[in-house]
Amino acid sequence: MKGRYLSLAASGAALCLTAVTLTGCGALGGLTGDNEVTLRVVAADYGDNPQNSSAAYWKDLAAGFEKANPGTKVEVSVYSWSEVDAKVAEMVKAGKAPDIAQIGAYADYAAADKLYSTAELLSVKTEADFLGPLADAGKVKQVQYGMPFVASTRLLFYNEKLLADAGVIGKDAKGWQPKSWADLEAAAKKLKAAGVPTPFALPLGREEAQAETMMWMLAGGGGYTDNEEQYSIDSADNVKALEFLRDKMVGQGLTGPVEPGKLDRQAAFEAFTKGEVGMLNGHPTLLKQAEAKGVKYGMVPLPTATGSEEPSMGVADWVMAFKNGHREQSGKFLDFLYQPKNVSAFTEKYDLLPATTSGYQAKQAASAGNAPQLKPFLTALPGSRLYPVGKKSWAGVSEDIKQNIGKTVQPGGQPAKVLEEIATAARAADPR
């Protein structure tokens, strides 16, 4: 087994072009009255339009916390996933780190001794409620700094009508079980012949290129790290995965009119909900988006290169608290954030998977009742593999992938060369 796996059932992406600030009264960053404190929080947006922006959730959460904790105000800034990590990095570099950040990586800040540990922040009950594998993934040198916020797994979505019209599946739209990449290529060719604008959407744009890349690497028998958790980004399996995408998918015109390196995840989701995409990799957020537009879809695991079984990808997003002198207030806010009702409110709104045992059990019950569409994602969680988030270098490596991976699959692209460059920089930033 390679990399970090989830041994229990456990593990976004959205677009909001401007930051939304939610605030109680008071000045930035410190005391606003005799003993009043303002907590500054930065969070990512999981909504796909202004109407379902995460800003509404944080506004209600902040109001509830302030009511229960007189003397502490909460100011939240919500940014799109394409910019939130960079925004926090800028704040930290400028010496103005937020008190709490909900972003994609934590280890670099932990290694720089900028974060409180969970033991310094949380009640015993809250700390014990995290799903074990996710809590472990939040540790650096056996100390937990990263608090998993939400999780997701990924499945291959397909438009049942488009595949049926193209003759990929029967008119009853049942029973498609692609096993290998050759099956995907064959299906995409039929979709192209039927006039589908984008047979297979391949979003390798900045929003989530590191995730799409990892899915294909895993399905090809590779991954970002080896058995010893050392970077293996330039492995032969990874090179072959990108060569398949370059030659068989992009090279044959099966990925649509937008260059993969310029296609973001949410744009691909929106095209799918408009009936313009035959197949794409997606997470649970796509469920509601597709259903709202009346798109009939199916979901299967992403086929592997040869048809042999390979691990799927699990993703967790992270919460961390910076050492700004507000440890007690930050801890109280985090205990409030992780109350079961607040966890459920967020995961239900965006069809994501909870990172807590209590939330996961509630989601399991829902999947057996009024939310059966989540069952495949829950089923995919055991054995899922996470990003190497415990490495302090991961934030920088992820950014390198976002900037450069798209060009590997364009005609004339050089996967081996680009992956070697990314791997060399990654190893230099994370020596043994």
Side-chain angles (χ1 to χ4, degrees):
M1 299 207 333
K2 298 178 182 178
R4 187 190 302 279
Y5 287 81
L6 301 185
S7 58
L8 296 178
S11 143
L15 190 61
C16 178
L17 295 180
T18 58
V20 181
T21 300
L22 313 168
T23 179
C25 58
L28 280 177
L31 299 178
T32 59
D34 290 341
N35 294 300
E36 191 173 85
V37 169
T38 294
L39 291 179
R40 292 182 299 130
V41 180
V42 172
D45 196 346
Y46 291 75
D48 63 322
N49 60 67
Q51 286 68 47
N52 72 350
S53 168
S54 302
Y57 170 83
W58 288 102
K59 180 178 180 180
D60 290 343
L61 187 81
F65 176 78
E66 289 174 356
K67 183 177 180 180
N69 295 270
T72 303
K73 298 295 182 181
V74 180
E75 179 183 84
V76 187
S77 297
V78 177
Y79 297 94
S80 73
W81 269 112
S82 63
E83 61 179 344
V84 67
D85 290 314
K87 286 288 185 182
V88 172
E90 290 171 6
M91 294 174 187
V92 173
K93 185 177 181 179
K96 298 178 181 179
D99 293 288
I100 294 168
Q102 184 267 300
I103 52 177
Y106 69 88
D108 50 342
Y109 299 126
D113 194 30
K114 294 183 180 297
L115 304 180
Y116 292 116
S117 69
T118 56
E120 294 175 294
L121 294 162
L122 303 177
S123 68
V124 172
K125 182 179 180 180
T126 300
E127 190 174 17
D129 196 30
F130 291 126
L131 286 161
L134 292 178
D136 288 343
K139 294 178 180 178
V140 174
K141 295 182 178 179
Q142 306 305 310
V143 177
Q144 186 179 352
Y145 297 94
M147 291 158 274
F149 181 56
V150 290
S152 69
T153 50
R154 306 300 164 96
L155 293 172
L156 176 68
F157 283 70
Y158 60 91
N159 183 309
E160 291 182 347
K161 183 179 186 303
L162 294 182
L163 265 67
D165 290 348
V168 177
I169 57 179
K171 291 298 182 180
D172 61 0
K174 302 297 181 184
W176 192 50
Q177 292 292 333
K179 297 298 182 183
S180 69
W181 290 352
D183 294 336
L184 285 186
E185 180 188 353
K189 286 180 176 178
K190 289 184 177 181
L191 288 164
K192 182 182 179 182
V196 175
T198 302
F200 197 108
L202 185 64
L204 293 176
R206 280 192 51 79
E207 184 179 318
E208 217 187 18
Q210 80 286 0
E212 185 73 21
T213 301
M214 183 173 173
M215 282 182 268
W216 287 99
M217 286 180 171
L218 290 175
Y224 288 137
T225 55
D226 60 20
N227 290 336
E228 284 72 45
E229 291 291 330
Q230 299 303 308
Y231 283 119
S232 58
I233 297 169
D234 54 348
S235 72
D237 287 333
N238 291 343
V239 172
K240 289 179 181 177
L242 293 175
E243 288 177 341
F244 167 79
L245 294 175
R246 180 194 64 190
D247 299 337
K248 301 298 185 180
M249 301 302 284
V250 179
Q252 297 188 89
L254 304 180
T255 55
V258 181
E259 287 182 29
K262 297 180 180 178
L263 180 64
D264 280 337
R265 172 79 62 202
Q266 184 53 39
F269 280 9
E270 289 170 358
F272 184 80
T273 67
K274 294 176 181 177
E276 299 171 355
V277 172
M279 303 174 284
L280 81 169
N281 291 313
H283 51 69
T285 300
L286 184 54
L287 295 170
K288 284 185 178 178
Q289 294 181 23
E291 289 167 1
K293 295 296 181 67
V295 175
K296 301 295 184 182
Y297 58 86
M299 299 181 296
V300 293
L302 177 65
T304 61
T306 62
S308 60
E309 187 173 348
E310 300 289 353
S312 60
M313 186 182 75
V315 175
D317 301 326
W318 301 94
V319 175
M320 61 218 69
F322 286 86
K323 291 181 175 179
N324 287 351
H326 299 151
R327 181 184 63 81
E328 180 181 355
Q329 294 87 353
S330 293
K332 287 182 178 179
F333 180 77
L334 292 167
D335 278 335
F336 187 78
L337 172 66
Y338 284 105
Q339 286 182 9
K341 66 178 182 179
N342 294 327
V343 170
S344 294
F346 194 88
T347 57
E348 288 173 9
K349 183 176 179 67
Y350 296 107
D351 273 335
L352 292 167
L353 306 182
T356 59
T357 300
S358 58
Y360 180 72
Q361 291 171 343
K363 193 68 86 172
Q364 277 187 312
S367 72
N370 61 1
Q373 71 273 29
L374 286 174
K375 187 174 181 180
F377 293 96
L378 290 165
T379 301
L381 280 167
S384 290
R385 186 168 168 185
L386 293 170
Y387 301 134
V389 291
K391 291 181 175 293
K392 67 179 182 180
S393 58
W394 171 242
V397 173
S398 177
E399 182 63 24
D400 201 359
I401 293 166
K402 289 179 181 180
Q403 290 184 4
N404 295 295
I405 207 69
K407 60 189 177 185
T408 67
V409 301
Q410 289 303 106
Q414 302 181 59
K417 180 176 183 293
V418 174
L419 290 183
E420 182 181 8
E421 291 171 351
I422 296 173
T424 298
R427 293 181 186 121
D430 193 71
R432 295 185 68 108

